[in-house]
Amino acid sequence: MPRDSRYDVLFEPVKIGPLTTKNRFYQVPHCNGMGYRDVTALATMRGIKAEGGWGVVCTEQVEIHPSSEITPFIELRLWDDQDIPALARTSEAIHRHGALAGIELAYNGMNGSNFYTREVPMGPAHLPIATFFNDPVQARAMDKQDIADLRRWHRNAAIRARRAGYDIVYVYAAHAFCVLQHFLSRRTNDRSDEYGGSLVNRMRLLREVTEDTKEAVGDGGAVAVRISVDEMVGESGLQKEEIQEVISRMAELPDLWDLTLSGWDQDSRTSRFAEEGSQEPFIAGLKALTTKPVVGVGRFTSPDAMVRQIRKGLLDLIGAARPSIADPFLPKKIEEGRLEDIRECIGCNICVSGDFTQAPIRCTQNPTMGEEWRKGWHPERIAPKRSEAKVLVVGGGPAGLECARALGQRGYEVTLAEARGELGGRVTLESKLPRVAAWARVRDHRIQQLGKLANVGVYLDSAMTAGQILEFGAGHVVLAAGSNWRRDGVARFHLKPIPVDGAMPLFTPDDVMAGNLPGGHVAIYDDDHYYMGGLLAEKLVALGCAVTLITPASEVSNWTRNTMEQHFIQARLLELGVSIVTNRAVSEVRADCIVIACAFTGRTSELPADAIVMVTARLPNERLTRELTERRGDWAPAGVISVKAIGDALAPSTIAAAVYAGRRYAEEFDAPAIGDALPFRREVTGLAPL
Ligand code: ADP
Ligand code: SF4
């Protein structure tokens, strides 16, 4: 289908200094956990974004000097000429598909502890390092020589960036990650020299570095300034009035303004805490202060929302990190009038967790993300079938749906049998919990795609027994039957069941999601530590329960630190009146109370409760696997060649892991056996001479 003319505006070229981007789709810098370690994997991933139609594709943060690095996070480095070839690999991959390459030069200052280089970090003032881990390190206040050094380092990095093939060179003053923001904000700048005090003084370094970068980049390249319009800490930090003045005073100096919120957690809020386009009130009016193009983000997946940003004069370029991760081909799909094919970001921040865990980026919606080079996966393409094999997929949750979809895309004849009256498995159930409706996009996208595949048959209300599976007689059986939450207290704290008196009403998340609800004073025992405990607390409060959330961790939903949500969740639960009991494990469930034990001393106390919800471990739904294994002798007569459990039915994990498992089955199906060989490519560091 030709594209809808309403979206023509998104495909207009935009001038960025001496350059022109072919359209308004701009992949802003984003971290990915690959960086300097997985160079070719990273370059390939960026190249696929360019292939998908993004007019500009940027790197993540690039450390410009060894006196400021952010170990353990794995970003890019441009410390000297040795780093140029690795950086050039990415710019070349971007250029190959006709996009402009942007590079985000970063000097993190008081945001990096320098654990790798052991250099003393520097910033505007003597202040503790502001990392996520409370490192016992302080930054020292920079003197005039340090400032001169920093300016030279940035200039040299800009020159190297151009040699590495980058078109747009960033001056980064955003997300509280960068020394230029630390100078700009009175929160972190208490200097009394010409770099502190008034706003004009605080912005001096930003102006100087921007001027230096303009000069270093020369006539052929462009300079972007990335700035945070609000630090979200009230009057003690940067707010719009000051930023208006900064932009007004430097309006025409850079070739592009890139507007963000600060910190990263605020800019990349999950869908649970912010809607698409939620940055709008913060950026409104700023574009009018400059004639230079302005880019901003807002988890934009809807072309109508994008057009609105342009028409309302809020932005010139539609910035995206997560929407480009979930669907690297988003621009192409809009251009080709294939809106129904867009794989919309669900705003879960599993992608962010890659960076936080120093693991290659992954995405709930796009299982190929991070696997483009090491496994050769592509977000839109997959190898055609190698045989006429037929596959039965049992279970239509995220694992089964993606498995059936990807096998179907390959051309295999697939039957998907789902026990319930609707598809989606846990995604369907969980997306009905408070404020996570966007998660249903994982299901909806796949149902939409399955609808196009005549070779995939979907059967609802079809709970399969082992006998029926054998009778069906598909050559290959995929068991994607999911998992169930445990009732016995076993998870991380207790590895053996705890004593439970059957007189106390006891529920699991499965019960609550199925509508079997507790009432009165409900104790939630959360030894899972991801989102479920917090979501159930919200749900039960909304239903009128008095909720006490007990966790052996020192904070609620502890793992959501990796999705940058933990503080938002804890604040929301406190606002809702949930009573939070940390550092305590439930050690016994009695008829009329819960016994809780201190996680450190083991000292116990009693908590009266009307019911308990156990958010602990899950058990894979293994019944079919077991029964089919027991009946192995019946396989050959029934024509069954292989049976394999995937996703939560193999080992419960995230929705992202389930989608990945489904994709992996389909990618590797029918492939020659690789024995003990590595199932992916990797890049081994070349050895330097001794
Ligand atoms: P995953 O995350 O691994 O995809 P889910 O729990 O989300 O797992 O989905 C599993 C799906 O499998 C559920 O929708 C469930 O109803 C379905 N299911 C479980 N057992 C059977 C069965 N015997 N036959 C058909 N479908 C099943
Ligand atoms: Fe969006 Fe989640 Fe994918 Fe990140 S992991 S891009 S938030 S769907």
Side-chain angles (χ1 to χ4, degrees):
M1 241 175 67
R3 81 165 176 252
D4 190 321
S5 60
R6 271 182 303 166
Y7 306 135
D8 286 353
V9 67
L10 300 174
F11 294 89
E12 288 170 357
V14 177
K15 274 191 78 62
I16 305 175
L19 310 167
T20 302
T21 172
K22 64 183 175 189
N23 60 33
R24 296 184 189 266
F25 295 94
Y26 191 109
Q27 184 244 268
V28 292
H30 71 75
C31 299
N32 51 75
M34 299 199 280
Y36 59 78
R37 185 189 55 202
D38 301 304
V39 172
T40 305
L42 174 53
T44 309
M45 180 269 277
R46 298 289 188 206
I48 282 182
K49 301 280 194 79
E51 186 191 345
W54 299 86
V56 179
V57 178
C58 297
T59 66
E60 65 269 40
Q61 296 191 60
V62 180
E63 299 166 357
I64 62 167
H65 192 264
S67 63
S68 182
E69 46 91 10
I70 54 169
T71 303
F73 296 99
I74 299 176
E75 314 292 321
L76 283 168
R77 287 183 172 153
L78 197 41
W79 290 356
D80 64 17
D81 287 358
Q82 283 190 84
D83 293 315
I84 291 179
L87 270 292
R89 184 155 285 192
T90 287
S91 68
E92 285 159 12
I94 295 168
H95 286 154
R96 216 167 286 138
H97 296 283
L100 295 174
I103 183 167
E104 186 178 57
L105 302 183
Y107 192 88
N108 294 88
M110 59 175 288
N111 191 59
S113 299
N114 292 350
F115 282 145
Y116 178 79
T117 61
R118 304 182 74 168
E119 297 291 337
V120 175
M122 301 189 293
H126 290 293
L127 277 174
I129 292 299
T131 60
F132 302 97
F133 311 112
N134 295 332
D135 297 331
V137 180
Q138 284 203 190
R140 67 174 176 83
M142 292 167 77
D143 63 19
K144 295 291 164 50
Q145 185 57 48
D146 297 322
I147 289 175
D149 289 343
L150 169 61
R151 290 181 58 183
R152 188 178 65 258
W153 298 332
H154 203 279
R155 209 166 24 234
N156 288 341
I159 292 166
R160 289 195 178 101
R162 293 285 289 144
R163 282 173 52 206
Y166 287 87
D167 309 293
I168 301 171
V169 179
Y170 265 78
V171 173
Y172 187 32
H175 295 141
F177 282 165
C178 191
V179 71
L180 300 175
Q181 182 178 341
H182 303 146
F183 268 79
L184 199 55
S185 170
R186 63 170 96 87
R187 255 178 96 220
T188 39
N189 182 342
D190 63 358
R191 301 174 73 95
S192 52
D193 64 2
E194 69 266 37
Y195 289 93
S198 68
L199 180 64
V200 172
N201 281 356
R202 281 182 277 126
M203 63 181 281
R204 188 178 308 279
L205 188 58
L206 174 65
R207 175 192 285 281
E208 288 174 347
V209 169
T210 309
E211 285 167 352
D212 296 340
T213 310
K214 283 284 288 181
E215 198 185 306
V217 160
D219 291 341
V223 172
V225 169
R226 195 170 208 206
I227 199 166
S228 281
V229 299
D230 199 314
E231 283 185 300
M232 312 295 274
V233 290
E235 287 182 356
S236 64
L238 288 168
Q239 287 186 304
K240 202 167 174 184
E241 298 81 70
E242 283 202 330
I243 292 303
Q244 271 168 335
E245 196 177 334
V246 171
I247 298 179
S248 300
R249 286 177 179 275
M250 285 179 54
E252 306 302 310
L253 185 55
D255 300 302
L256 171 82
W257 286 95
D258 182 336
L259 308 180
T260 74
L261 290 180
S262 184
W264 183 19
D265 55 327
Q266 299 285 357
D267 207 29
S268 294
R269 282 198 193 204
T270 55
S271 53
R272 198 171 159 186
F273 294 96
E275 299 286 322
E276 179 173 2
S278 64
Q279 276 92 334
E280 186 170 324
F282 296 95
I283 58 160
L286 295 180
K287 200 182 106 58
L289 305 173
T290 173
T291 66
K292 301 298 171 113
V294 172
V295 63
V297 294
R299 201 162 21 82
F300 296 119
T301 56
S302 141
D304 292 301
M306 296 175 194
V307 168
R308 194 173 160 278
Q309 296 288 313
I310 311 290
R311 296 272 183 240
K312 278 192 80 182
L314 294 161
L315 298 172
D316 298 293
L317 296 157
I318 302 300
R322 291 173 293 175
S324 77
I325 294 167
D327 197 340
F329 276 61
L330 192 150
K332 274 252 156 80
K333 289 175 184 176
I334 299 173
E335 188 172 22
E336 293 168 4
R338 296 192 289 125
L339 301 193
E340 74 285 359
D341 289 341
I342 295 174
R343 215 168 25 249
E344 289 187 285
C345 168
I346 68 165
C348 63
N349 280 6
I350 278 293
C351 48
V352 172
S353 78
D355 195 45
F356 274 80
T357 56
Q358 293 86 55
I361 188 170
R362 60 215 53 211
C363 169
T364 303
Q365 272 285 54
N366 174 11
T368 68
M369 178 50 49
E371 305 295 345
E372 299 86 348
W373 177 77
R374 71 173 186 172
K375 288 200 162 143
W377 294 3
H378 190 278
E380 301 303 308
R381 294 191 292 274
I382 190 164
K385 66 178 180 180
R386 286 167 166 264
S387 71
E388 297 306 315
K390 295 186 177 56
V391 186
L392 170 66
V393 179
V394 180
L401 278 174
E402 175 63 11
C403 185
R405 190 209 61 75
L407 283 170
Q409 189 185 359
R410 291 191 64 183
Y412 290 103
E413 196 178 307
V414 182
T415 303
L416 174 62
E418 164 55 48
R420 297 198 197 115
E422 59 182 335
L423 292 167
R426 62 183 287 197
V427 164
T428 294
L429 296 169
E430 292 178 14
S431 62
K432 290 180 186 142
L433 293 170
R435 298 187 178 89
V436 290
W439 295 3
R441 292 171 172 185
V442 173
R443 173 200 63 201
D444 296 343
H445 172 72
R446 288 171 176 82
I447 293 178
Q448 210 284 331
Q449 296 297 304
L450 283 173
K452 295 184 173 186
L453 296 167
N455 50 326
V456 181
V458 177
Y459 296 89
L460 299 177
D461 301 309
S462 304
M464 301 290 281
T465 62
Q468 286 167 328
I469 289 171
L470 289 170
E471 215 170 282
F472 188 81
H476 302 272
V477 179
V478 182
L479 300 174
S483 62
N484 296 108
W485 290 87
R486 296 181 75 130
R487 319 184 74 86
D488 57 5
V490 171
R492 292 181 165 82
F493 196 87
H494 298 295
L495 303 182
K496 297 280 171 359
I498 60 172
V500 173
D501 188 321
M504 168 66 76
L506 188 149
F507 300 80
T508 68
D510 292 324
D511 296 323
V512 177
M513 289 190 290
N516 179 11
L517 300 168
H521 178 201
V522 181
I524 296 178
Y525 176 44
D526 185 0
D527 196 17
D528 167 61
H529 308 286
Y530 194 15
Y531 51 79
M532 186 56 79
L535 281 177
L536 291 188
E538 278 192 55
K539 179 178 170 78
L540 294 178
V541 167
L543 290 172
C545 300
V547 176
T548 301
L549 191 148
I550 304 150
T551 177
S554 57
E555 58 195 9
V556 299
S557 301
N558 174 255
W559 198 80
T560 61
R561 279 185 167 258
N562 295 301
T563 54
M564 303 195 300
E565 292 171 290
Q566 193 284 324
H567 53 306
F568 294 130
I569 295 172
Q570 188 127 1
R572 180 171 283 171
L573 296 193
L574 289 169
E575 299 284 336
L576 288 173
V578 173
S579 159
I580 295 171
V581 179
T582 57
N583 302 320
R584 301 281 188 285
V586 170
S587 59
E588 187 182 344
V589 178
R590 294 191 183 146
D592 57 349
C593 73
I594 313 294
V595 181
I596 53 179
C598 171
F600 299 104
T601 65
R603 223 168 276 147
T604 58
S605 55
E606 290 178 5
L607 180 84
D610 301 318
I612 182 165
V613 181
M614 291 285 195
V615 186
T616 50
R618 285 177 279 160
L619 279 173
N621 195 345
E622 286 180 311
R623 191 177 48 82
L624 289 175
T625 319
R626 209 175 37 245
E627 288 173 10
L628 286 168
T629 308
E630 282 162 9
R631 294 183 60 179
R632 203 173 192 115
D634 297 335
W635 289 15
V640 172
I641 301 160
S642 75
V643 175
K644 194 168 168 33
I646 64 165
D648 292 330
L650 182 67
S653 184
T654 56
I655 299 167
V659 174
Y660 170 82
R663 177 65 174 229
R664 183 174 183 183
Y665 182 95
E667 290 272 359
E668 295 176 358
F669 183 68
D670 242 359
I674 60 164
D676 288 340
L678 285 189
F680 50 79
R681 289 199 284 180
R682 65 183 174 136
E683 216 151 31
V684 178
T685 310
L687 291 182
L690 279 177

